[in-house]
Amino acid sequence: KAGVTQTPRYLIKTRGQQVTLSCSPISGHRSVSWYQQTPGQGLQFLFEYFSETQRNKGNFPGRFSGRQFSNSRSEMNVSTLELGDSALYLCASKPGQGFYNEQFFGPGTRLTVL
Amino acid sequence: AQTVTQSQPEMSVQEAETVTLSCTYDTSESDYYLFWYKQPPSRQMILVIRQEAYKQQNATENRFSVNFQKAAKSFSLKISDSQLGDAAMYFCAYRPGANSKLTFGKGITLSVRP
Protein backbone atom coordinates (compact mmCIF):
# COMPACT_ATOMS: atom_id res chain seq x y z
CA LYS A 1 0.00 0.00 0.00
CA ALA A 2 1.15 3.49 -0.73
CA GLY A 3 1.85 5.62 2.33
CA VAL A 4 0.37 8.94 3.31
CA THR A 5 1.17 11.58 0.71
CA GLN A 6 1.21 15.33 1.17
CA THR A 7 1.36 18.02 -1.47
CA PRO A 8 3.10 20.26 -1.99
CA ARG A 9 6.23 19.33 -0.09
CA TYR A 10 7.50 22.89 0.06
CA LEU A 11 5.68 26.18 -0.14
CA ILE A 12 6.69 29.82 0.16
CA LYS A 13 4.06 32.47 0.76
CA THR A 14 3.96 36.06 1.93
CA ARG A 15 2.12 37.52 4.89
CA GLY A 16 -1.56 38.04 4.31
CA GLN A 17 -1.89 35.36 1.67
CA GLN A 18 -3.77 32.14 2.12
CA VAL A 19 -2.59 28.60 1.53
CA THR A 20 -4.13 25.17 1.01
CA LEU A 21 -2.30 21.97 1.85
CA SER A 22 -3.41 18.53 0.74
CA CYS A 23 -3.16 15.11 2.35
CA SER A 24 -4.03 11.76 0.78
CA PRO A 25 -4.35 9.03 3.41
CA ILE A 26 -3.45 5.40 3.05
CA SER A 27 -6.07 3.57 1.02
CA GLY A 28 -8.91 2.48 3.28
CA HIS A 29 -8.07 4.93 6.05
CA ARG A 30 -10.94 7.20 6.99
CA SER A 31 -9.39 9.33 9.71
CA VAL A 32 -6.98 12.16 8.93
CA SER A 33 -5.31 14.33 11.55
CA TRP A 34 -3.18 17.43 11.04
CA TYR A 35 -0.26 18.63 13.17
CA GLN A 36 1.90 21.74 13.12
CA GLN A 37 5.58 21.40 14.00
CA THR A 38 7.69 24.43 14.89
CA PRO A 39 11.01 24.70 16.74
CA GLY A 40 9.43 26.78 19.48
CA GLN A 41 6.10 25.06 20.09
CA GLY A 42 6.99 21.55 18.98
CA LEU A 43 4.28 19.32 17.57
CA GLN A 44 0.74 20.57 18.08
CA PHE A 45 -2.52 18.98 17.08
CA LEU A 46 -4.62 21.03 14.68
CA PHE A 47 -7.69 18.91 13.94
CA GLU A 48 -8.98 15.50 12.96
CA TYR A 49 -11.46 14.54 10.30
CA PHE A 50 -13.35 11.29 10.10
CA SER A 51 -15.90 10.49 7.41
CA GLU A 52 -15.95 14.12 6.26
CA THR A 53 -16.70 15.43 9.77
CA GLN A 54 -14.37 17.29 12.08
CA ARG A 55 -14.09 15.16 15.23
CA ASN A 56 -11.40 16.97 17.20
CA LYS A 57 -9.92 20.41 17.17
CA GLY A 58 -6.80 21.82 18.78
CA ASN A 59 -6.22 25.32 20.11
CA PHE A 60 -5.61 27.21 16.90
CA PRO A 61 -7.30 30.38 15.65
CA GLY A 62 -10.11 30.26 13.15
CA ARG A 63 -7.67 31.12 10.35
CA PHE A 64 -6.84 27.43 10.36
CA SER A 65 -9.54 25.30 8.81
CA GLY A 66 -9.84 21.98 7.10
CA ARG A 67 -12.12 19.64 5.31
CA GLN A 68 -12.30 16.06 4.19
CA PHE A 69 -13.71 14.71 0.98
CA SER A 70 -15.71 11.57 0.36
CA ASN A 71 -12.54 9.75 -0.77
CA SER A 72 -10.97 10.61 2.63
CA ARG A 73 -8.47 13.06 1.14
CA SER A 74 -8.14 16.09 3.35
CA GLU A 75 -7.14 19.69 2.88
CA MET A 76 -6.19 22.28 5.41
CA ASN A 77 -6.37 25.98 4.73
CA VAL A 78 -4.66 28.85 6.47
CA SER A 79 -5.95 32.32 5.69
CA THR A 80 -4.24 35.65 6.30
CA LEU A 81 -0.85 34.07 6.81
CA GLU A 82 1.40 35.33 9.58
CA LEU A 83 5.15 34.88 9.96
CA GLY A 84 4.50 32.53 12.88
CA ASP A 85 2.65 30.14 10.61
CA SER A 86 5.96 29.05 9.13
CA ALA A 87 6.16 25.40 10.09
CA LEU A 88 6.21 21.82 8.99
CA TYR A 89 2.63 20.61 8.62
CA LEU A 90 2.18 16.90 9.09
CA CYS A 91 -0.85 14.82 8.41
CA ALA A 92 -1.50 11.36 9.76
CA SER A 93 -4.08 8.77 8.79
CA LYS A 94 -5.56 5.74 10.46
CA PRO A 95 -8.28 3.28 9.55
CA GLY A 96 -10.97 4.49 11.95
CA GLN A 97 -11.53 5.65 15.46
CA GLY A 98 -10.86 2.41 17.27
CA PHE A 99 -8.63 2.27 20.29
CA TYR A 100 -6.08 0.06 18.56
CA ASN A 101 -5.70 2.09 15.42
CA GLU A 102 -2.18 3.25 14.70
CA GLN A 103 -1.55 6.55 12.96
CA PHE A 104 0.76 6.76 9.97
CA PHE A 105 2.39 10.06 9.16
CA GLY A 106 3.08 11.69 5.83
CA PRO A 107 6.37 13.41 4.92
CA GLY A 108 4.99 16.85 5.70
CA THR A 109 4.63 20.17 3.91
CA ARG A 110 7.22 22.79 4.78
CA LEU A 111 5.53 26.20 4.72
CA THR A 112 7.63 29.34 4.81
CA VAL A 113 5.89 32.69 5.28
CA LEU A 114 7.93 35.76 4.29
CA ALA B 1 -5.01 18.64 30.38
CA GLN B 2 -2.60 15.96 29.39
CA THR B 3 1.08 16.87 29.22
CA VAL B 4 4.15 15.00 28.05
CA THR B 5 7.59 15.99 29.31
CA GLN B 6 10.93 15.12 27.82
CA SER B 7 13.44 16.93 29.99
CA GLN B 8 16.61 16.03 28.08
CA PRO B 9 16.96 18.03 24.85
CA GLU B 10 19.99 16.10 23.62
CA MET B 11 21.77 12.83 24.22
CA SER B 12 24.72 11.10 22.69
CA VAL B 13 25.62 7.41 22.60
CA GLN B 14 28.53 5.40 21.29
CA GLU B 15 27.74 3.00 18.48
CA ALA B 16 26.85 -0.48 19.82
CA GLU B 17 26.14 0.90 23.30
CA THR B 18 22.78 1.24 25.05
CA VAL B 19 20.95 4.51 25.68
CA THR B 20 17.77 5.34 27.57
CA LEU B 21 15.53 8.26 26.68
CA SER B 22 13.23 9.56 29.42
CA CYS B 23 9.62 10.66 29.26
CA THR B 24 7.00 11.50 31.87
CA TYR B 25 3.36 12.29 31.30
CA ASP B 26 0.38 13.50 33.22
CA THR B 27 -3.18 12.31 32.73
CA SER B 28 -6.30 11.48 34.67
CA GLU B 29 -7.44 8.96 32.05
CA SER B 30 -7.30 5.22 32.72
CA ASP B 31 -7.23 4.04 29.09
CA TYR B 32 -4.54 5.45 26.90
CA TYR B 33 -1.66 4.69 24.59
CA LEU B 34 1.94 5.84 24.81
CA PHE B 35 4.25 6.02 21.81
CA TRP B 36 7.80 6.73 20.84
CA TYR B 37 8.24 8.25 17.39
CA LYS B 38 11.48 8.75 15.52
CA GLN B 39 11.97 11.72 13.20
CA PRO B 40 15.15 11.51 11.11
CA PRO B 41 16.48 14.47 9.10
CA SER B 42 14.03 13.56 6.32
CA ARG B 43 11.30 14.71 8.81
CA GLN B 44 9.21 11.57 8.19
CA MET B 45 7.67 10.59 11.52
CA ILE B 46 8.16 6.87 12.15
CA LEU B 47 6.52 4.88 14.92
CA VAL B 48 9.16 3.08 16.98
CA ILE B 49 7.11 1.42 19.69
CA ARG B 50 3.77 1.69 21.49
CA GLN B 51 2.44 0.69 24.86
CA GLU B 52 -1.16 0.18 25.94
CA ALA B 53 -1.72 1.51 29.44
CA TYR B 54 -3.70 -1.54 30.56
CA LYS B 55 -0.81 -3.89 29.73
CA GLN B 56 1.69 -4.38 32.54
CA GLN B 57 4.21 -6.04 30.26
CA ASN B 58 6.69 -3.64 28.71
CA ALA B 59 6.60 -3.46 24.93
CA THR B 60 9.61 -4.62 22.91
CA GLU B 61 10.44 -4.21 19.23
CA ASN B 62 13.79 -5.72 18.31
CA ARG B 63 16.48 -3.40 19.76
CA PHE B 64 13.88 -1.04 21.21
CA SER B 65 12.14 -1.59 24.52
CA VAL B 66 10.27 0.53 27.01
CA ASN B 67 10.14 0.79 30.76
CA PHE B 68 6.54 1.68 31.53
CA GLN B 69 5.87 2.72 35.11
CA LYS B 70 2.16 3.53 35.22
CA ALA B 71 2.01 4.71 38.82
CA ALA B 72 4.97 7.00 38.31
CA LYS B 73 3.64 8.06 34.88
CA SER B 74 7.00 7.33 33.35
CA PHE B 75 7.68 5.88 29.91
CA SER B 76 11.34 5.56 28.93
CA LEU B 77 12.77 4.14 25.72
CA LYS B 78 15.84 1.92 25.73
CA ILE B 79 17.81 1.48 22.53
CA SER B 80 20.23 -1.43 22.62
CA ASP B 81 23.19 -1.95 20.30
CA SER B 82 22.84 1.61 18.99
CA GLN B 83 23.42 2.07 15.27
CA LEU B 84 24.35 5.13 13.23
CA GLY B 85 20.90 5.02 11.67
CA ASP B 86 19.33 5.57 15.10
CA ALA B 87 20.49 9.18 15.07
CA ALA B 88 17.33 11.28 14.95
CA MET B 89 14.86 13.24 17.05
CA TYR B 90 12.74 11.04 19.27
CA PHE B 91 9.33 12.10 20.47
CA CYS B 92 7.31 10.63 23.28
CA ALA B 93 3.56 10.90 22.67
CA TYR B 94 0.32 10.20 24.51
CA ARG B 95 -3.11 9.39 23.13
CA PRO B 96 -6.24 8.93 25.24
CA GLY B 97 -8.52 6.01 24.39
CA ALA B 98 -9.89 5.94 20.87
CA ASN B 99 -9.20 9.64 20.42
CA SER B 100 -6.85 10.47 17.58
CA LYS B 101 -5.24 13.48 19.20
CA LEU B 102 -1.60 12.84 19.99
CA THR B 103 0.10 15.01 22.60
CA PHE B 104 3.83 15.11 22.00
CA GLY B 105 6.79 15.94 24.18
CA LYS B 106 9.34 18.49 22.98
CA GLY B 107 11.57 15.74 21.65
CA ILE B 108 15.15 14.72 22.20
CA THR B 109 17.95 14.80 19.66
CA LEU B 110 19.95 11.59 19.76
CA SER B 111 23.37 11.48 18.16
CA VAL B 112 25.33 8.27 17.67
CA ARG B 113 29.13 8.42 17.76
CA PRO B 114 30.97 5.97 15.48
Side-chain angles (χ1 to χ4, degrees), chain A residues 1 10 16 27-28 30 44-45 55 61-62 66 72 81 95 104 112:
Chain A
K1 275 187 180 177
Y10 301 91
S27 178
R30 296 166 63 195
Q44 294 184 287
F45 173 79
R55 294 300 179 102
S72 295
L81 283 166
F104 295 86
T112 301

Side-chain angles (χ1 to χ4, degrees), chain A residues 48 94 99 101 103 105, chain B residues 33 39 44 95 98-100:
Chain A
E48 180 209 2
K94 64 188 180 86
F99 186 71
N101 288 171
Q103 289 190 47
F105 282 83
Chain B
Y33 265 117
Q39 190 178 43
Q44 177 83 49
R95 193 188 88 196
N99 196 310
S100 290

Side-chain angles (χ1 to χ4, degrees), chain A residues 9-72:
Chain A
R9 294 293 310 279
Y10 301 91
L11 205 49
I12 300 175
K13 292 286 188 179
T14 56
R15 278 182 301 176
Q17 287 187 311
Q18 75 162 17
V19 68
T20 299
L21 312 182
S22 180
C23 172
S24 292
I26 291 172
S27 178
H29 286 193
R30 296 166 63 195
S31 168
V32 174
S33 298
W34 288 88
Y35 294 83
Q36 181 196 64
Q37 186 176 16
T38 60
Q41 298 299 316
L43 280 149
Q44 294 184 287
F45 173 79
L46 279 156
F47 29 65
E48 180 209 2
Y49 285 86
F50 177 76
S51 293
E52 302 179 64
T53 302
Q54 188 179 88
R55 294 300 179 102
N56 261 309
K57 190 176 190 306
N59 295 324
F60 279 82
R63 300 185 298 106
F64 291 81
S65 63
R67 59 178 176 168
Q68 186 179 35
F69 302 94
S70 59
N71 62 357
S72 295

Side-chain angles (χ1 to χ4, degrees), chain B residues 19-33:
Chain B
V19 64
T20 298
L21 311 183
S22 302
C23 173
T24 58
Y25 61 96
D26 189 24
T27 183
S28 57
E29 302 280 343
S30 57
D31 290 331
Y32 54 88
Y33 265 117

